[in-house]
């Protein structure tokens, strides 16, 4: 017990230091917490800041309800395009996540030279842009990031209602959205990404189970009669599916917050790539197997659960995904909570209850939007084309080029080019390719296709749809109750 007592005294001592010593104090506190993590159950389950915690957070946050919509995307794209685009956008997403980590370290190193302390302050992406490029970039980053996270949270809420309906269809999806909106509102009590250790671990287990359930169940089910794999058939469908995959591997709008929760954020650089490689083992087999089994039927079933037979394995997968979507809702909402706290001056408040109360107004518009637009698959594509394309692909690439446009900035850079690409010119070439490709293909063609598809859903089902893509059973009559089954 003596080492733990000494560690606790060191932590208390560190927090009593003056602001002038803020950076040393923060570093020392983190090292003590890291060394003593095994001595406390609370630390083991609650306080996560290691490389593994960051990996679990990235891998867990990258795929949630997207697992269930990727087979739908394959029915729009075709098997070959679906697999190739996953690999392509996975690599592209890992690259821009690397750029974000480099810019974070650059911003932090500059601020620490000015003796700025971040003891009670969580650095966010828009603050990095502000510190490196000025207020206009801050405004653009804040607008895109917050809107993306807002609709990302909406998608999780819609997904909860969509999934639970396959276990209990006595209530319509809109009613389930009301219920899960109240449940997800409890995420206001989770202070920061530093406290997601156990949730990230469980979340990754849940997506792993669900992905392999989808693959095995589809193979066991076999191909449906007269199965057809006619994709790609229409440009609108093709680019809608492509932007859904762009969205799948563009889930790093919370990269800065995850890095800031680490004890040693400089170790983050390649974590997102390793997380993506693991995610490939989940997304490619599951989407391929479900599309192989059901083919074009997926065009009218954006949620893969709707086509698989109801049994205990499927119900388990549904329940695990519900829990995971609650976790992912918290991941998407927490940066919004931070922004709101900073706006109303509550970010430094230590009381969890006061902060939770202050955060509640963030949940209400999310809840309302999920009720207005309950379109599961189409919203993924629209968000991918209009928001993800800028938030996690175009803006980081342009910000990196502008930050290091001067020779002095490159010479004094906190992070030099990676070992596999030791040339600033090569980095500029890759960044330019990312900007042009995503703007033309992702935002341009993808935006046109996804919005066309989205408008079609609104025209077909209307706003405030009570039960989107629900097929209630026909009423039981004496005639069909005794009819033989074929």
């Amino acid at each position: 017990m003596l080492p733990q007592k000494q560690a606790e005294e060191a932590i208390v001592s560190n927090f009593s230091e003056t602001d002038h010593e803020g950076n040393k104090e923060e570093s020392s506190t983190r090292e003590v917490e890291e060394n003593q993590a095994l001595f406390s159950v609370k630390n083991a389950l609650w306080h996560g800041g290691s490389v593994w915690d960051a990996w679990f957070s990235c891998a867990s946050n990258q795929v949630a309800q997207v697992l269930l919509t990727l087979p739908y995307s394959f029915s729009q794209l075709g098997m070959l395009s679906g697999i190739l685009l996953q690999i392509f956008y996975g690599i592209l997403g890992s690259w821009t996540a690397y750029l974000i980590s480099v810019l974070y370290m650059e911003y932090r190193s500059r601020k620490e030279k000015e003796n700025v302390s971040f003891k009670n302050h969580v650095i966010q992406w828009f603050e990095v842009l502000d510190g490196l490029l000025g207020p206009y970039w801050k405004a653009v980053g804040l607008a895109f990031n917050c809107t993306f996270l807002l609709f990302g949270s909406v998608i999780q809420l819609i997904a909860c209602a969509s999934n639970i309906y396959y276990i209990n269809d006595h209530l319509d999806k809109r009613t389930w959205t009301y219920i899960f909106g109240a449940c997800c509102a409890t995420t206001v009590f989770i202070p920061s990404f530093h406290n997601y250790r156990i949730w990230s671990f469980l979340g990754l287990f849940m997506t792993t189970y669900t992905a392999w359930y989808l693959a095995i169940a589809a193979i066991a089910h076999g191909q449906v009669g007269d199965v057809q794999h006619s994709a790609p058939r229409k440009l609108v469908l093709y680019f809608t599916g492509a932007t859904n995959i762009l969205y799948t591997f563009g889930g790093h709008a919370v990269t800065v917050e995850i890095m800031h929760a680490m004890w040693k954020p400089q170790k983050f650089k390649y974590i997102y790539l390793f997380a993506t490689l693991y995610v490939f083992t989940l997304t490619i087999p599951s989407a391929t197997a479900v599309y192989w089994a059901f083919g074009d039927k997926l065009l009218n079933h954006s949620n893969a659960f709707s086509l698989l037979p109801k049994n205990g394995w499927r119900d388990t997968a549904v329940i695990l995904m519900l829990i995971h979507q609650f976790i992912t809702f918290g991941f998407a909402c927490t940066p919004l909570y931070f922004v709101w706290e900073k706006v109303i001056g509550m970010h430094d408040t230590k009381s969890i209850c006061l902060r939770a109360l202050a955060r509640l107004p963030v949940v209400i518009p999310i809840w309302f939007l999920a009720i207005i637009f309950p379109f599961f698959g189409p919203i993924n594509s629209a968000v991918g084309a209009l928001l993800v394309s800028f938030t996690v692909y175009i803006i980081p690439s342009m910000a990196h080029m502008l930050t290091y446009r001067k020779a002095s900035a490159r010479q004094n850079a906190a992070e030099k080019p990676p070992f596999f690409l030791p040339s600033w010119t090569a980095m500029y070439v890759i960044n330019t390719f990312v900007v042009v490709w995503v703007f033309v293909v992702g935002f341009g063609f993808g935006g046109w296709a996804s919005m066309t598809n989205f408008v079609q859903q609104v025209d077909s089902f209307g706003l405030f749809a009570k039960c989107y893509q629900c097929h209630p059973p026909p009423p039981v009559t004496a005639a069909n109750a005794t009819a033989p089954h074929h």
Side-chain angles (χ1 to χ4, degrees):
M1 292 298 292
L2 185 57
Q4 184 176 1
K5 184 176 180 181
Q6 290 173 342
E8 291 171 352
E9 289 175 353
I11 293 172
V12 173
S13 174
N14 279 331
F15 275 103
S16 66
E17 296 291 335
T18 62
D19 288 340
H20 182 70
E21 296 294 328
N23 298 321
K24 293 180 181 178
E25 145 196 343
E26 181 180 12
S27 175
S28 178
T29 302
R30 291 189 177 200
E31 287 177 5
V32 172
E33 288 181 355
E34 186 175 15
N35 292 333
Q36 297 300 324
L38 296 176
F39 290 99
S40 167
V41 173
K42 181 180 178 182
N43 281 348
L45 300 179
W46 186 250
H47 292 298
S50 68
V51 170
W52 281 104
D53 288 307
W55 184 84
F56 278 119
S57 293
C58 290
S60 174
N61 186 48
Q62 197 169 23
V63 287
Q65 92 295 334
V66 172
L67 270 178
L68 311 177
T69 61
L70 281 175
Y72 167 69
S73 297
F74 271 47
S75 71
Q76 299 168 320
L77 290 163
M79 188 85 74
L80 180 62
S81 289
I83 294 172
L84 292 178
L85 283 174
Q86 281 198 47
I87 296 171
F88 175 71
Y89 281 122
I91 294 171
L92 222 61
S94 299
W95 173 254
T96 53
Y98 168 78
L99 297 181
I100 291 172
S101 71
V102 168
L103 294 173
Y104 168 86
M105 293 307 302
E106 182 67 35
Y107 169 78
R108 183 157 184 162
S109 66
R110 292 184 186 183
K111 288 297 179 182
E112 287 179 346
K113 289 175 183 177
E114 299 171 6
N115 291 322
V116 176
S117 173
F118 297 107
K119 184 180 68 173
N120 295 318
H121 183 92
V122 176
I123 299 173
Q124 294 189 266
W125 177 229
F126 70 90
E127 292 169 320
V128 173
L129 292 174
D130 184 28
L132 297 178
L133 297 173
Y136 292 110
W137 277 86
K138 172 187 176 181
V140 170
L142 186 62
F144 274 104
N145 216 41
C146 288
T147 309
F148 167 44
L149 291 170
L150 176 74
F151 278 98
S153 304
V154 169
I155 289 169
Q156 301 308 321
L157 208 48
I158 296 170
C160 285
S162 177
N163 289 342
I164 192 64
Y165 184 78
Y166 298 117
I167 290 182
N168 185 338
D169 58 4
H170 293 96
L171 298 177
D172 59 78
K173 291 182 182 179
R174 187 168 66 192
T175 303
W176 280 119
T177 304
Y178 293 140
I179 295 169
F180 278 99
C183 294
C184 289
T186 58
T187 58
V188 297
F189 289 99
I190 301 177
S192 72
F193 284 99
H194 195 65
N195 310 111
Y196 269 97
R197 166 173 281 183
I198 188 64
W199 294 113
S200 297
F201 176 79
L202 291 175
L204 191 59
F205 163 75
M206 293 165 188
T207 53
T208 301
Y209 173 91
T210 302
W212 285 108
Y213 158 74
L214 291 173
I216 295 169
I219 294 170
H221 180 278
Q223 291 185 314
V224 296
D226 299 323
V227 64
Q228 293 183 343
H229 300 89
S230 58
R233 291 189 299 179
K234 298 179 180 178
L235 281 177
V236 170
L237 294 179
Y238 187 86
F239 284 108
T240 300
T243 50
N244 186 38
I245 293 181
L246 178 143
Y247 170 79
T248 302
F249 295 97
H252 45 283
V254 296
T255 298
V256 170
E257 288 83 358
I258 292 174
M259 282 188 70
H260 190 79
M262 293 178 68
W263 291 311
K264 296 179 180 179
Q266 64 271 21
K267 291 186 176 183
F268 182 87
K269 288 185 288 187
Y270 306 119
I271 286 177
Y272 197 88
L273 173 62
F274 294 134
T276 299
L277 293 176
Y278 179 78
V279 167
F280 283 155
T281 69
L282 306 182
T283 57
I284 293 177
S286 60
T288 301
V290 176
Y291 179 55
W292 168 82
F294 297 101
D296 290 353
K297 287 189 70 174
L298 285 158
L299 287 169
N300 297 316
H301 296 82
S302 57
N303 190 325
F305 280 146
S306 63
L307 291 172
L308 292 167
K310 180 177 173 61
N311 54 39
W313 295 102
R314 193 194 75 164
D315 288 353
T316 300
V318 171
I319 292 168
L320 290 179
M321 285 305 291
L322 285 172
I323 300 171
H324 185 268
Q325 278 148 358
F326 165 82
I327 297 168
T328 309
F329 182 92
F331 265 103
C333 261
T334 299
L336 294 176
Y337 296 152
F338 292 156
V339 172
W340 178 245
E341 288 170 358
K342 291 170 184 176
V343 169
I344 63 175
M346 293 285 288
H347 189 58
D348 294 335
T349 304
K350 294 182 179 180
S351 170
I352 292 178
C353 291
L354 278 178
R355 290 179 71 183
L357 190 63
R359 291 171 169 188
L360 278 176
V362 176
V363 180
I364 294 171
I366 294 170
W367 205 351
F368 189 61
L369 286 169
I371 295 166
I372 298 176
F373 304 112
F375 312 127
F376 190 35
I379 277 193
N380 278 1
S381 299
V383 169
L386 304 180
L387 298 173
V388 174
S389 57
F390 281 93
T391 304
V392 298
Y393 292 99
I394 294 175
I395 291 177
S397 299
M398 293 185 67
H400 188 273
M401 288 191 288
L402 291 173
T403 298
Y404 298 109
R405 66 188 181 277
K406 295 180 180 179
S408 58
R410 295 192 293 271
Q411 187 175 0
N412 299 318
E415 293 285 338
K416 301 299 181 184
F419 69 92
F420 58 86
L421 199 72
S423 166
W424 286 101
T425 302
M427 292 193 74
Y428 268 76
V429 170
I430 293 176
N431 289 341
T432 302
F433 170 78
V434 172
V435 171
V436 173
W437 175 275
V438 175
F439 184 80
V440 174
V441 178
F443 176 72
F445 289 109
W448 159 73
S450 59
M451 289 310 298
T452 300
N453 190 29
F454 185 80
V455 169
Q456 288 173 354
Q457 302 301 319
V458 174
D459 290 341
S460 301
F461 294 92
L463 301 177
F464 297 97
K466 189 173 184 179
C467 209
Y468 172 68
Q469 286 190 345
C470 296
H471 301 287
V476 177
T477 62
N480 64 22
T482 57
H485 293 284
H486 297 286

